[in-house]
Amino acid sequence: MALGELTSTYGTVVWDGIGTLRIRYGGTLVRTRLGERIVPVEALRAVELTEAGLRLVLRDGADPLQSVTQPIELYDFPGVDHQVAEGIARDIGQALVRRDVPQTAATAWLVAPPPAPDRIEGRDATLAVANGQLTFKYHRSVGRQKKALGDPWSVPLGDIVDVEWAPSAGLGARGFLRISTSATPDVRPKPKHDPAAMLTRRAAEADALFFAARLLTRIRP
């Protein structure tokens, strides 16, 4: 197996030739904040060459960050040297076969979440994790529908079944962090009115994303 280094507009991908990828992110605020991440080949389902560059396809359940943030393509690396990309893709493909890595969902997290605080401030609420609970403390300005479950409202981490994060998208579309429990209705209100959602501050969207990924690893060790 041969090692290789790929330089992209979104950072650098270093393949050690054995079984580990080291990704040094850059190019956007979220990616720059991510810094460096270690991805074992066991976390991959496939590696693809695209017209733009190289794409790593991760197994479901391998990376908590990707599990809460489908709108952001964390494993697309455009603007690369195609000859280098072909060599790395071929080498990684051989490693996947040699290690007999399944394409099924991972049974445990294989990529560590980025560091995150236990408390985060949003536009309409503050979220905090302590003593095995996630607590929503709503701001005074929010309406009664938002506070329908109580203010503050606390939910045991064991009752949370999913965590979702979405970035701000376009004019007036606010980002949010939202949880689901076994009691969450199939039809739920918009994040602005949902007691189980927090609207994020644009300047702190990366913090909310990292908080969401860390929260996911707390409910799915």
Side-chain angles (χ1 to χ4, degrees):
M1 307 293 282
L3 58 83
E5 180 171 325
L6 192 69
T7 301
S8 164
T9 53
Y10 284 154
T12 302
V13 180
V14 179
W15 165 243
D16 70 354
I18 301 173
T20 302
L21 286 153
R22 186 181 299 270
I23 301 174
R24 293 191 285 267
Y25 280 103
T28 65
L29 176 60
V30 170
R31 288 179 173 87
T32 300
R33 283 282 305 279
L34 273 175
E36 183 174 279
R37 304 188 83 204
I38 304 299
V39 179
V41 72
E42 286 79 8
L44 301 182
R45 181 163 55 86
V47 56
E48 300 174 351
L49 290 171
T50 68
E51 289 186 8
L54 184 79
R55 174 182 297 137
L56 303 175
V57 183
L58 266 67
R59 297 168 62 193
D60 291 342
D63 179 9
L65 195 64
Q66 189 181 49
S67 294
V68 299
T69 176
Q70 295 303 325
I72 293 181
E73 299 296 339
L74 295 173
Y75 294 101
D76 278 4
F77 298 95
V80 300
D81 183 308
H82 276 268
Q83 186 173 356
V84 175
E86 287 175 1
I88 291 178
R90 181 173 57 251
D91 221 37
I92 293 175
Q94 292 172 353
L96 289 170
V97 172
R98 182 169 58 87
R99 295 189 176 214
D100 195 23
V101 177
Q103 295 192 357
T104 54
T107 57
W109 302 116
L110 299 174
V111 184
D118 290 330
R119 180 180 180 277
I120 184 168
E121 184 86 15
R123 288 180 178 269
D124 56 1
T126 299
L127 269 60
V129 175
N131 302 318
Q133 305 239 352
L134 174 67
T135 299
F136 285 75
K137 175 61 178 175
Y138 306 101
H139 296 175
R140 291 182 179 180
S141 59
V142 304
R144 285 178 295 178
Q145 187 176 357
K146 191 82 170 181
K147 300 178 181 180
L149 300 177
D151 185 18
W153 172 56
S154 294
V155 55
L157 296 181
D159 289 354
I160 302 173
V161 297
D162 200 15
V163 183
E164 177 188 3
W165 174 91
S168 300
L171 185 63
R174 293 175 176 174
F176 62 87
L177 189 162
R178 180 165 62 185
I179 66 166
S180 298
T181 70
S182 57
T184 299
D186 292 336
V187 178
R188 59 196 303 178
K190 293 181 179 180
K192 180 180 179 180
H193 303 295
D194 192 342
M198 179 194 76
L199 298 180
T200 57
R201 299 179 184 275
R202 187 179 292 272
E205 284 192 331
D207 293 322
L209 170 58
F210 297 173
F211 182 96
R214 178 71 180 95
L215 180 59
L216 194 59
T217 63
R218 290 176 184 267
I219 66 172
R220 300 181 199 165

